[in-house]
């Protein structure tokens, strides 16, 4: 090999090493550590739903790739173990919605492989029983969001054959649904929402295959939606706050810890972003250390954030992870 060719080979190798090094350095600069927890005891699945009561998270329904599920599992966050509870009494389904209200869990909506559903059920963890409640007042749908803030609980958005943006409030004292003030954002399915200080933050999702860039705050005390800064990447000098944003996605999960919101995962994405409601700004954290996945479950228990299940293509997962936002990343705890 002549000196000219040797020089080309050396330059190429050096360039490859340089870019690999830069990529690793970039990841190492991010803060946050993922810790593998006790694997989910039920079948691996995607599109499950969950709610949290006290020290326990409850995970139910979902899809294995062959079966629509109705089993219910309780996660003990202190002991890091799972216990099976009474099966969900409705038909097995995926992409249902849920919330917790007054120490009880509520689940409804979803898709059973044929129908878009609107039935609705209450779970009482004290005696491990389910009770069917008044059907959701909107159209049967799936991939909607459910949340509770300030003692008020809601279902909204989703897909009923069309993309949706309506919201309904559930009153557990009267067992009734009420259509609430209009949401000014775009229609969407597979959005995600988290709650900070009795305010709801909603974003991401898709509408006709387009990832949604708008991001909203909802105050249930006033029934007012307020648009916050968009979560798109924008190189305009006037919007320099989001030049590096890569938050838009669908089928993501979210949770809240210590007054900050976190959005993680989604279709072919394993990144996680932290939202500060005081500044209305986002910061990227250490990406999920497990496999990238979509249709996973995320929740927080006593300011501890968890992320689990989901799928990549036809591969379904049963692993569970805890995210520590203030720790340096290390692989020794996986």
């Amino acid at each position: 090999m002549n000196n000219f060719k040797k020089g080309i080979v050396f330059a190429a190798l050096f360039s490859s090493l340089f870019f690999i090094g830069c990529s690793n350095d970039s990841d190492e600069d991010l803060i946050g550590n993922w810790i593998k927890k006790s694997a989910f005891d039920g079948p691996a699945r995607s599109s499950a739903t969950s709610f949290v009561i006290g020290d326990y998270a409850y995970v139910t329904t979902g899809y294995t790739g062959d079966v629509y599920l109705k089993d219910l599992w309780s996660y003990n966050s202190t002991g890091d173990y799972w216990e099976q509870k009474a099966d969900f009494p409705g038909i097995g389904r995926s992409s249902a919605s849920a919330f917790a209200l007054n120490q009880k869990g509520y689940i409804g909506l979803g898709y059973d492989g044929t129908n878009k559903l609107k039935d609705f059920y209450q779970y009482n963890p004290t005696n491990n029983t389910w009770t069917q409640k008044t059907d959701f007042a909107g159209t049967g749908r799936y991939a909607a969001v459910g949340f509770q803030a300030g003692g008020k609980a809601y279902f909204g958005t989703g897909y009923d054959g069309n993309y949706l943006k309506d919201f309904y409030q559930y009153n557990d004292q009267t067992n009734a649904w009420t259509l609430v003030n209009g949401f000014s954002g775009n229609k969407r399915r597979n959005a995600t929402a988290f709650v900070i200080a009795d305010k709801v933050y909603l974003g991401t999702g898709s509408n006709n295959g387009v990832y949604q860039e708008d991001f909203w705050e909802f105050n249930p005390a006033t029934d007012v939606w307020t648009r916050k800064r968009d979560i798109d990447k924008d190189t305009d000098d006037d919007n320099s706050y989001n030049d590096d944003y890569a938050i838009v996605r669908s089928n993501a999960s979210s949770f809240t810890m210590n007054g900050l919101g976190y959005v993680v995962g989604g279709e072919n994405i394993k990144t996680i972003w932290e939202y500060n409601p005081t500044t209305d700004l986002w910061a990227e954290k250490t990406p999920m250390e497990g496999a990238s996945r979509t249709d996973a479950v995320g929740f927080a228990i006593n300011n501890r954030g968890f992320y689990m299940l989901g799928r990549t293509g036809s591969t379904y997962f049963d692993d569970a992870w805890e995210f520590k936002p203030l720790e340096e990343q290390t692989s020794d705890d996986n």
Side-chain angles (χ1 to χ4, degrees):
M1 183 181 292
N2 62 38
N3 289 336
F4 177 72
K5 290 182 178 178
K6 287 180 180 178
I8 292 175
V9 172
F10 177 79
L13 289 172
F14 178 80
S15 177
S16 297
L17 291 170
F18 174 80
F19 284 113
I20 291 170
C22 285
S23 176
N24 289 341
D25 288 345
S26 177
D27 286 345
E28 290 170 1
D29 288 340
L30 299 176
I31 300 298
N33 189 33
W34 292 90
I35 299 172
K36 200 165 189 178
K37 308 301 290 186
S38 175
F40 180 67
D41 279 9
R45 67 192 67 193
S46 70
S47 303
T49 193
S50 67
F51 55 85
V52 173
I53 300 175
D55 294 332
Y56 298 86
Y58 296 84
V59 176
T60 185
T61 65
Y63 183 59
T64 67
D66 296 307
V67 178
Y68 290 91
L69 300 164
K70 53 193 297 181
D71 51 342
L72 172 69
W73 296 84
S74 170
Y75 176 63
N76 183 314
S77 60
T78 302
D80 187 29
Y81 63 86
W82 294 88
E83 291 182 308
Q84 188 165 9
K85 300 295 184 178
D87 282 358
F88 172 69
I91 191 169
R93 66 194 65 197
S94 66
S95 301
S97 301
F99 52 73
L101 178 65
N102 295 327
Q103 301 303 305
K104 293 181 174 65
Y106 293 86
I107 294 176
L109 313 183
Y111 180 69
D112 66 0
T114 303
N115 302 303
K116 303 171 185 69
L117 306 169
K118 59 187 298 182
D119 51 341
F120 183 61
Y121 300 82
Q122 177 199 79
Y123 176 71
N124 186 338
T126 302
N127 54 21
N128 188 31
T129 58
W130 290 92
T131 304
Q132 186 165 6
K133 295 294 184 177
T134 300
D135 282 0
F136 176 65
T139 56
R141 66 189 68 190
Y142 63 92
V145 296
F147 52 79
Q148 180 268 125
K152 298 180 179 180
Y154 304 82
F155 282 163
T157 68
Y159 184 76
D160 69 353
N162 294 301
Y163 292 82
L164 302 165
K165 56 183 286 188
D166 53 344
F167 278 86
Y168 291 79
Q169 181 188 343
Y170 178 71
N171 185 322
D172 63 338
Q173 301 303 306
T174 62
N175 185 30
W177 292 91
T178 304
L179 180 66
V180 296
N181 287 349
F183 168 55
S184 299
N186 296 332
K187 299 175 182 179
R188 69 195 69 206
R189 61 186 280 187
N190 295 120
T192 193
F194 52 85
V195 178
I196 302 174
D198 289 336
K199 292 182 180 177
V200 181
Y201 296 87
L202 182 147
T204 70
S206 66
N207 184 341
N208 290 305
V210 177
Y211 290 154
Q212 298 303 293
E213 301 172 349
D214 52 336
F215 183 66
W216 294 82
E217 176 190 87
F218 175 61
N219 186 343
T222 60
D223 277 346
V224 172
W225 289 92
T226 302
R227 187 165 183 168
K228 312 301 284 185
R229 288 172 170 147
D230 286 358
I231 58 173
D232 64 318
K233 182 182 293 186
D234 190 336
T235 56
D236 188 330
D237 290 340
D238 293 335
N239 293 313
S240 60
Y241 67 86
N242 64 349
D243 282 353
D244 297 321
Y245 281 8
I247 306 168
V248 293
R249 61 193 66 194
S250 184
N251 304 77
S253 303
S254 62
F255 46 78
T256 301
M257 292 188 286
N258 299 311
L260 301 171
Y262 296 86
V263 171
V264 56
E267 295 177 345
N268 302 313
I269 299 174
K270 58 195 301 185
T271 56
I272 179 169
W273 287 79
E274 177 187 86
Y275 178 71
N276 186 329
T278 302
T279 61
D280 190 24
L281 294 174
W282 295 81
E284 189 175 5
K285 296 294 182 176
T286 302
M288 223 291 273
E289 292 180 32
S292 62
R293 64 197 65 198
T294 187
D295 297 318
V297 170
F299 52 77
I301 307 174
N302 296 328
N303 280 318
R304 297 172 60 195
F306 297 89
Y307 182 62
M308 60 191 64
L309 310 181
R311 67 175 176 86
T312 296
S314 60
T315 300
Y316 292 77
F317 300 109
D318 60 6
D319 54 341
W321 299 78
E322 180 176 1
F323 181 61
K324 300 280 192 177
L326 301 179
E327 295 184 2
E328 297 284 347
Q329 190 274 333
T330 174
S331 59
D332 296 339
D333 44 24
N334 294 335

